[in-house]
Amino acid sequence: MDLRRPNRPVIGPKVRQVGFVTPDSAAATSSSSIPAVSAAAATSAGSPPSSLSPVMIPPPRHPSTEMSNPHFHPVGSYNPSEQILGSPPALSPSRSSRFDADGSDFGGDDDESVALSGVGGGMTPKSSLLMRQPVTKTAPLVSETRKRDSNASKGKGEGPSAAPKEKLTKAERRATQEAQRAAKAAAKEAAAAGGAPSVSKQPKPATKPATQQKKDIPSGSGPLQPLAPSGSIEKKQGKKEVAAPHPRMQFDDMTKVGKLKKRAVVNQSEARNRVELFRHLPQYEHGTQLPDLESKFFQLDLIHPSVYQVGLQFLSDKISGGNARCIAMLLAFKEVIQDYTTPPEKTLTRDLGAKVGSCVSFLIECRPLSVSMGNAIRFLKNRISSLPHNLSDKEAKSRLQSDIDRFINEKIIIASKAIVEHGVSKIRDGDVLLTYGSPSVVESIFAYAHGIKKNFRVVVVDSRPKHEGQGLLRRLVERGIHCTYTHLNAVSYVMHEVTRVFLGASSVLSNGTVYSRVGTACVAMVAHAFRVPVLVCCEAYKFHERVQLDSICSNELGDPDAISKVSGRKDLNYLDGWAQNENIQLLNLKYDATPSDYVSVLVTEQGMLPPTSVPVIIREYGIERLWT
Amino acid sequence: MDPPMDFQVVVLAGGTSDKLSPLVSKELPKALLPVANKPLLSYPLELLEASNLKNIIVVVEGDEAATQVESWLSVAYMDRLNVEVVKTPGDVGTVGAIRAVAPFLISTDILIVSGDLVSDTSPGAIAATHRRHGAAVTALFCPAPVSGGADSSTSGGKDKAKKPSRCNIVGLDPTRQFLLHVVSGAKVEKDIHIQKRIVRAVGQMEIRSDFMDAHVYAFKRTVLLDVLEKENLYSIKQDVLPYLVRTQLRSEISAKKENSADESSNGATKELPSEDININSAVPSNQNLRWLSQHREIAPSSYQEIHISDCDMNKSRPAKKTHKCCIYLSGKTQYCARLNSVQAFGDINRDMLGEASRITGYTFSAQNNVVHPTVVQGAKTTAGGQCIIAEGTILGDKCSVKRSVIGRHCRIGSNVKIVNSIVMNHITIEDNCTIQGSVISSNVQIQERASLKDCQVGAGYVITAGSEYKSEPLTKK
């Protein structure tokens, strides 16, 4: 579990530069990194070989002259990317030429192996198609990495649980007792059903929860404990209130999933072939949710129509993007508040809070919340609970509505205008600007810059399966901006001519990690390798105090079918019916995390900041602080 | 009580349809025509009830029909549904019917259901699709029925000629979510004229003629009321829907109303404090906000997106107004049919006995039939599969009933064969009659040794002994 823990202090932030390091920066840091590396070599030499980083350099990459180098092995095995891309000149005289060779190979398997190492880069596995049976030579390494990563991520989940194991509080004890009781009941049920207790995968997802629940309890009692207090609180609040699932609920815990399912509005069946590493994330059979939810349209009296509409639009991806989703949600909540009347013998602050909570949990079922939405909800709940008690319903409602308006206006609209102002100052005549996907703020920056007659060119980098960039491209071309359109796999080719990279973000975490549309990290790294400044544009309301080192522990899974289908090509149907195949699992990740090392500057409404200043913004201008 | 999800439901029950003569008469309006021994109107009402829609407005043509429907409703659904019957003068068309109820319409969206719909397609799904797209109108289309199936061959002779006139021509976008072109049955000409502008916007259009308009529409109320102000409209299917589809990219009707609707739905609190917005010249107005939340809508077909961006981009020129016309296609497993002809009446009755028996709500016995316990059967009488025999009916000896519906309190003599037929209530059939593929209305008397094949017999008719009829409508003079 703690494989990489002891290594941590050794890997300084400089050495951790996994991925693409520009030749010059590598040369600059080479002198400083040598002692660190040798220290690492010393520690790793003492430990058994199994504790070494599982990522080895594929042998064909390295000329035999290097293999003879006595220093090479421990260093290389310790931090392969350093070796590949930015090894100090002292070790290999032919460094620069080798870098070129690697540089031309960006999109290739080199990229993949680096990404998979995941030591500090926080990259996601770029390969979205994972085969269970290793076929290629590098596959054993890959699978080993996975295992280790999954161990690590599991370890994270169990970390807190291990400590309080000796000291059980009352609530925890009750929770374990209940879990055991549930297990017994489940066992009885399984026996009554006459099914042999199968440990292997159950073919029908419907019967899954029962058997898996039983299977999970012995080992699952550990992870259950830390969550137990919240569970008992839920119970106290009564069944009526639909509590939202914990934002980082572990969806591989069958007991929790079962509980969640019971009170779920949307009848979802879970996808069957899921990638092992991402089992903790919710993934449902896409295509079953929408018809089910639609047919129940009139049955769900408790959910306000506008919330329902927004939920449907989230589910069908009609509204996407952090700002758009947040605004849509807030407008829907405004209508909820508009139509709200306090039931007799209840107080507005408590009842409305519960009502908003149930709306939120419905929206979560439709699609996991973005960080921006989470912050907005926190703000709204905060405002509701801090309403003075002596207000009349009408006053309270109008106050809340104007609060929402203020939030939308100040935190989103004016903020993006301020970002546009700041961002435009970084565009000079003759610039070639690259963007990835379709970030709304970046689009407004380009539009504004074009409006004030700046002369520049835009490269729109896009990726499958959503092709969001095409919409951006169309809008930019309609404005008369000169554009180039390319896909992510050509980014290293097109990066030569780029002078600035503008990226959007779903969130910026307090360690400076940029959490954004999958592929952003790749673009940022390539830009970094080419010494092109990367400007990440993000409103401050999307900042979050969470720290995230990789994109595995918290992410969102999209429709796996989307990547197996090629739009406009119905003849490419090799992956049809993949769900039936045990040996194939599709992974459609929606987000990735870009380490702060690759971000030159964050453009926010507070000005242009280094990514390290995010905690300051959260502390000084945090949502709670500003509004209470 | 608030309508659920801000939807109001209007059921157009019609009056005494000419198409259904001689089955329908002043005494028996179309809405009360028994289908599998249940009044026709009960099918849409139960469908709506299953979707938790309990407040329903029923529009009936003609005074007498309205009284009859009302009295039936008050007995059958007294404690279950809150039904309001509105009567209109005869022959005003569906648009006229909607005009009659226009003062009652208050909710954001209106669901209009035809009273002759027999289906198990969830109205919620249509409503949800409507909401999801924010459409002006959403129509339910279902695969056109394949004329009755194999066993209707006896009665299906004449519908071959009818078939082409019933079909619609429908143009869909590649994702089958938007309705781009519609020509309904009567107006189909040899050439199809398609607007270039729509095709250019959508890129690709799929033209189908095997879909049928099921007469279930979800309308935005503002759009609907706007359309109603126009003069020369008669039918929703033939006039209103094609009109809305035709003008979807240059919408005139929704131009003024939509804005006001948006404003009112936003609670009119959208006046932003002006001191906050001096950063840029553009004032974040209401439209701007909507734009922000919608401009990144990834429209399944890109054509709406083009126009959304179109009207936002060039603020200088008058923004183009568009509205969306959506379509909901019922699935293959779902049953969906409209009872709008004698032929359809026979087909639907047969379907109720066979493939779509789930809709009737009867539980079929082991012999795959429904025989009420009060039915008296004579010696050697057999009721075959796919039969429904209602209460109080007396069957004589050696009778044979196959694939037929027999209503209440009929008296059937001995050695009578009834195949593929619908026999309504209070009918007397004397000995040795043969009835094939026919529809017998209530209170008909059929005397000895009569033989009927593919006939429709109007109410109260007396068929004399020994007569033979083939493919004839028979009505009392």
Side-chain angles (χ1 to χ4, degrees):
Chain A
M1 167 187 155
D2 268 341
L3 263 185
R4 56 174 158 172
R5 282 281 155 79
N7 295 345
R8 273 273 162 74
V10 187
I11 315 172
K14 282 296 175 197
V15 188
R16 268 203 302 120
Q17 287 184 330
V18 179
F20 305 101
V21 181
T22 47
D24 296 63
S25 75
T29 58
S30 65
S31 58
S32 67
S33 69
I34 284 175
V37 168
S38 60
T43 53
S44 62
S47 52
S50 65
S51 70
L52 292 176
S53 165
V55 179
M56 305 288 229
I57 304 161
R61 292 218 152 265
H62 301 280
S64 55
T65 49
E66 281 188 11
M67 298 298 276
S68 65
N69 192 331
H71 283 286
F72 175 74
H73 245 294
V75 175
S77 64
Y78 184 68
N79 199 343
S81 53
E82 182 75 28
Q83 191 62 28
I84 294 168
L85 294 173
S87 57
L91 289 181
S92 69
S94 63
R95 181 195 58 83
S96 56
S97 66
R98 205 149 40 76
F99 176 77
D100 284 345
D102 283 322
S104 64
D105 204 3
F106 270 126
D109 54 340
D110 176 32
D111 178 10
E112 188 168 302
S113 71
V114 171
L116 284 175
S117 75
V119 174
M123 278 287 288
T124 57
K126 283 295 298 169
S127 60
S128 22
L129 185 68
L130 304 176
M131 306 291 281
R132 229 182 232 175
Q133 250 110 43
V135 186
T136 58
K137 254 188 192 173
T138 51
L141 299 179
V142 170
S143 63
E144 207 184 335
T145 328
R146 290 261 163 64
K147 224 179 272 166
R148 187 170 156 277
D149 268 350
S150 71
N151 276 346
S153 66
K154 252 182 216 159
K156 245 172 245 159
E158 283 166 0
S161 75
K165 202 159 196 181
E166 290 94 344
K167 257 192 174 178
L168 291 174
T169 66
K170 203 173 175 186
E172 283 165 346
R173 252 179 281 140
R174 194 192 298 155
T176 43
Q177 214 171 7
E178 259 168 19
Q180 282 161 355
R181 213 176 291 151
K184 236 183 231 172
K188 234 181 234 171
E189 231 174 61
S198 57
V199 188
S200 64
K201 261 186 193 169
Q202 207 76 9
K204 282 176 196 160
T207 58
K208 220 172 181 178
T211 51
Q212 291 221 345
Q213 204 176 16
K214 195 184 78 176
K215 201 175 68 188
D216 268 18
I217 289 301
S219 63
S221 58
L224 204 67
Q225 280 168 9
L227 296 163
S230 67
S232 57
I233 288 166
E234 272 168 30
K235 244 166 259 158
K236 263 180 217 161
Q237 284 170 341
K239 265 189 184 172
K240 221 175 172 186
E241 186 190 330
V242 191
H246 191 268
R248 269 178 290 167
M249 192 187 124
Q250 302 292 298
F251 277 79
D252 46 357
D253 186 348
M254 277 304 152
T255 48
K256 296 292 281 183
V257 172
K259 266 186 199 167
L260 187 71
K261 231 176 205 174
K262 259 183 223 160
R263 52 171 193 244
V265 176
V266 189
N267 192 6
Q268 298 165 318
S269 54
E270 293 204 27
R272 266 195 281 155
N273 280 357
R274 291 192 290 171
V275 180
E276 191 64 42
L277 194 52
F278 293 94
R279 283 204 178 236
H280 59 287
L281 301 173
Q283 179 164 27
Y284 302 108
E285 296 266 12
H286 281 253
T288 59
Q289 301 158 292
L290 193 59
D292 182 68
L293 194 59
E294 287 195 335
S295 63
K296 282 197 292 191
F297 186 66
F298 290 112
Q299 268 95 338
L300 305 167
D301 272 341
L302 293 172
I303 294 163
H304 192 273
S306 52
V307 174
Y308 199 96
Q309 181 178 3
V310 169
L312 280 176
Q313 284 169 337
F314 286 174
L315 191 58
S316 57
D317 260 358
K318 264 188 76 95
I319 296 182
S320 64
N323 284 343
R325 280 170 71 194
C326 193
I327 291 177
M329 180 190 71
L330 287 175
L331 289 180
F333 283 166
K334 234 181 93 180
E335 283 172 36
V336 171
I337 292 170
Q338 175 74 39
D339 294 350
Y340 175 81
T341 46
T342 315
E345 297 177 26
K346 284 193 177 169
T347 55
L348 181 129
T349 51
R350 282 164 179 269
D351 191 58
L352 188 59
K355 193 155 168 73
V356 169
S358 72
C359 291
V360 169
S361 70
F362 171 75
L363 291 180
I364 290 177
E365 281 169 37
C366 292
R367 194 182 156 183
L369 297 181
S370 65
V371 173
S372 58
M373 291 161 73
N375 282 342
I377 290 165
R378 239 166 57 189
F379 156 76
L380 179 62
K381 287 201 165 173
N382 200 353
R383 297 305 298 167
I384 291 174
S385 61
S386 64
L387 281 175
H389 285 283
N390 51 4
L391 278 184
S392 75
D393 265 20
K394 201 177 167 197
E395 279 173 317
K397 276 158 70 175
S398 67
R399 196 184 274 199
L400 285 175
Q401 283 178 330
S402 68
D403 277 344
I404 291 177
D405 280 341
R406 223 144 52 97
F407 186 89
I408 295 176
N409 191 27
E410 291 177 17
K411 289 281 179 183
I412 303 175
I413 293 178
I414 293 182
S416 54
K417 286 198 193 314
I419 290 174
V420 167
E421 297 267 304
H422 291 303
V424 162
S425 69
K426 285 290 170 192
I427 299 178
R428 295 169 304 192
D429 279 344
D431 263 350
V432 180
L433 312 173
L434 183 143
T435 190
Y436 173 71
S438 173
S440 54
V441 186
V442 174
E443 186 184 341
S444 343
I445 291 178
F446 291 165
Y448 186 65
H450 182 71
I452 57 172
K453 301 277 188 287
K454 293 221 177 185
N455 180 22
F456 62 96
R457 199 155 70 78
V458 173
V459 179
V460 178
V461 179
D462 203 356
S463 74
R464 287 193 60 225
K466 283 178 90 179
H467 294 298
E468 290 155 313
Q470 291 180 355
L472 174 69
L473 182 73
R474 192 188 301 118
R475 292 189 290 267
L476 291 181
V477 169
E478 273 172 17
R479 283 177 198 272
I481 299 175
H482 185 95
C483 290
T484 306
Y485 176 80
T486 184
H487 272 219
L488 186 58
N489 44 16
V491 69
S492 67
Y493 166 77
V494 83
M495 196 60 85
H496 286 286
E497 48 185 314
V498 173
T499 55
R500 297 255 189 287
V501 173
F502 281 84
L503 296 174
S506 171
S507 172
V508 181
L509 310 177
S510 68
N511 59 343
T513 303
V514 174
Y515 184 72
S516 185
R517 176 107 187 85
V518 68
T520 305
C522 180
V523 173
M525 285 177 187
V526 174
H528 187 79
F530 282 85
R531 301 178 61 212
V532 178
V534 176
L535 293 88
V536 173
C537 307
C538 183
E539 296 87 345
Y541 86 105
K542 291 179 178 171
F543 288 4
H544 198 273
E545 59 265 40
R546 193 164 71 201
V547 172
Q548 202 174 319
L549 296 175
D550 58 30
S551 43
I552 296 168
C553 60
S554 169
N555 208 320
E556 192 185 328
L557 299 178
D559 181 5
D561 277 324
I563 54 167
S564 69
K565 289 203 177 76
V566 182
S567 59
R569 290 288 301 274
K570 286 208 172 106
D571 52 318
L572 296 176
N573 53 357
Y574 310 115
L575 288 175
D576 281 2
W578 61 272
Q580 273 70 48
N581 193 337
E582 282 283 301
N583 292 328
I584 185 170
Q585 299 156 336
L586 299 177
L587 177 65
N588 181 8
L589 277 181
K590 289 215 169 157
Y591 295 100
D592 66 9
T594 312
S596 57
D597 305 357
Y598 302 104
V599 179
S600 315
V601 71
L602 275 179
V603 184
T604 73
E605 68 260 37
Q606 322 285 355
M608 287 195 262
L609 314 161
T612 46
S613 301
V614 175
V616 182
I617 297 287
I618 293 173
R619 192 178 64 226
E620 297 298 326
Y621 302 98
I623 282 169
E624 291 88 351
R625 185 160 293 242
L626 206 64
W627 294 100
T628 47
Chain B
M1 197 179 129
D2 283 347
M5 286 294 169
D6 225 357
F7 259 96
Q8 270 182 316
V9 187
V10 179
V11 176
L12 304 179
T16 52
S17 163
D18 292 338
K19 282 187 205 158
L20 280 170
S21 67
L23 307 178
V24 184
S25 58
K26 282 230 166 67
E27 292 80 46
L28 187 72
K30 181 181 174 184
L32 301 181
L33 193 67
V35 174
N37 285 332
K38 283 177 164 181
L40 176 58
L41 189 58
S42 70
Y43 290 92
L45 290 184
E46 266 160 37
L47 182 69
L48 294 169
E49 192 190 8
S51 289
N52 200 22
L53 290 165
K54 301 234 162 81
N55 297 306
I56 297 167
I57 301 172
V58 174
V59 189
V60 187
E61 270 182 15
D63 285 348
E64 288 174 45
T67 341
Q68 281 173 327
V69 169
E70 199 161 9
S71 64
W72 169 71
L73 282 171
S74 62
V75 174
Y77 290 99
M78 188 174 60
D79 46 351
R80 287 155 67 194
L81 295 175
N82 180 14
V83 183
E84 191 166 336
V85 176
V86 176
K87 60 187 171 205
T88 62
D91 204 40
V92 289
T94 40
V95 172
I98 297 298
R99 282 201 183 109
V101 294
F104 298 101
L105 304 179
I106 45 164
S107 60
T108 322
D109 295 286
I110 315 289
L111 192 67
I112 296 173
V113 182
S114 168
D116 57 5
L117 177 80
V118 181
S119 172
D120 58 352
T121 307
S122 163
I126 300 148
T129 309
H130 181 71
R131 271 292 158 75
R132 181 156 56 89
H133 293 292
V137 57
T138 303
L140 169 69
F141 276 75
C142 57
V146 193
S147 69
D151 50 23
S152 72
S153 57
T154 48
S155 63
K158 64 185 170 194
D159 80 302
K160 291 283 182 289
K162 249 186 186 176
K163 197 83 217 292
S165 68
R166 268 204 301 185
C167 78
N168 293 316
I169 292 181
V170 177
L172 305 173
D173 78 312
T175 57
R176 294 188 166 189
Q177 292 184 334
F178 294 103
L179 193 57
L180 307 173
H181 184 77
V182 65
V183 182
S184 61
K187 294 193 177 172
V188 174
E189 296 159 10
K190 270 190 180 160
D191 307 327
I192 306 173
H193 298 280
I194 290 168
Q195 280 178 300
K196 215 190 260 173
R197 167 210 306 264
I198 291 180
V199 180
R200 200 187 300 133
V202 74
Q204 199 180 346
M205 190 198 278
E206 184 185 355
I207 294 186
R208 305 285 298 243
S209 61
D210 56 345
F211 289 129
M212 185 187 84
D213 189 339
H215 266 224
V216 178
Y217 308 100
F219 276 101
K220 209 173 251 176
R221 180 176 55 100
T222 49
V223 172
L224 185 63
L225 295 184
D226 248 9
V227 172
L228 292 184
E229 286 170 14
K230 297 192 178 298
E231 285 299 313
N232 49 356
L233 302 174
Y234 179 75
S235 142
I236 294 180
K237 177 187 172 187
Q238 294 181 357
D239 301 321
V240 176
L241 188 64
Y243 169 75
L244 286 174
V245 169
R246 210 164 51 233
T247 57
Q248 58 184 316
L249 293 187
R250 45 182 171 85
S251 166
E252 302 142 18
I253 41 124
S254 47
K256 55 178 199 288
K257 291 265 174 152
E258 204 116 302
N259 280 348
S260 62
D262 264 0
E263 243 129 273
S264 63
S265 73
N266 277 357
T269 51
K270 197 33 64 63
E271 294 316 311
L272 296 166
S274 56
E275 70 271 13
D276 285 340
I277 38 176
N278 48 10
I279 296 180
N280 256 345
S281 53
V283 174
S285 68
N286 196 0
Q287 262 81 25
N288 220 337
L289 203 61
R290 284 273 156 184
W291 176 71
L292 251 177
S293 70
Q294 278 175 357
H295 87 290
R296 278 158 53 78
E297 265 190 13
I298 298 160
S301 71
S302 50
Y303 92 100
Q304 288 285 0
E305 195 183 359
I306 293 172
H307 282 272
I308 288 169
S309 53
D310 235 25
C311 56
D312 284 306
M313 212 77 56
N314 309 313
K315 287 261 159 63
S316 52
R317 78 165 184 226
K320 259 187 221 163
K321 292 293 175 185
T322 64
H323 59 251
K324 295 182 188 177
C325 297
C326 293
I327 186 168
Y328 182 85
L329 286 173
S330 74
K332 289 213 168 57
T333 55
Q334 285 160 332
Y335 185 79
C336 186
R338 286 193 60 218
L339 206 165
N340 49 9
S341 64
V342 177
Q343 169 67 26
F345 180 69
D347 289 346
I348 289 173
N349 266 300
R350 264 183 291 278
D351 291 337
M352 289 300 113
L353 300 174
E355 51 172 325
S357 55
R358 62 188 180 279
I359 299 176
T360 56
Y362 294 121
T363 45
F364 282 73
S365 70
Q367 288 85 37
N368 197 19
N369 57 18
V370 184
V371 179
H372 199 268
T374 56
V375 170
V376 181
Q377 294 189 18
K380 293 189 182 170
T381 287
T382 53
Q386 303 189 353
C387 277
I388 297 178
I389 304 177
E391 70 255 34
T393 292
I394 302 164
L395 289 148
D397 297 340
K398 292 185 189 169
C399 283
S400 161
V401 182
K402 284 178 194 161
R403 293 196 297 275
S404 298
V405 182
I406 296 178
R408 294 174 186 86
H409 306 289
C410 293
R411 284 188 303 165
I412 295 168
S414 47
N415 207 11
V416 171
K417 286 189 175 53
I418 301 174
V419 181
N420 249 339
S421 300
I422 297 128
V423 178
M424 294 182 194
N425 304 329
H426 305 288
I427 287 166
T428 313
I429 302 176
E430 294 179 1
D431 298 353
N432 298 321
C433 286
T434 311
I435 296 164
Q436 267 194 324
S438 301
V439 181
I440 319 278
S441 301
S442 299
N443 302 319
V444 169
Q445 193 186 359
I446 301 176
Q447 293 172 350
E448 291 180 332
R449 299 186 315 281
S451 165
L452 295 172
K453 199 175 176 202
D454 303 334
C455 293
Q456 293 89 39
V457 185
Y461 196 79
V462 179
I463 292 173
T464 51
S467 54
E468 277 188 34
Y469 292 100
K470 209 172 171 186
S471 307
E472 275 178 76
L474 305 168
T475 40
K476 201 160 72 175
K477 297 290 176 310

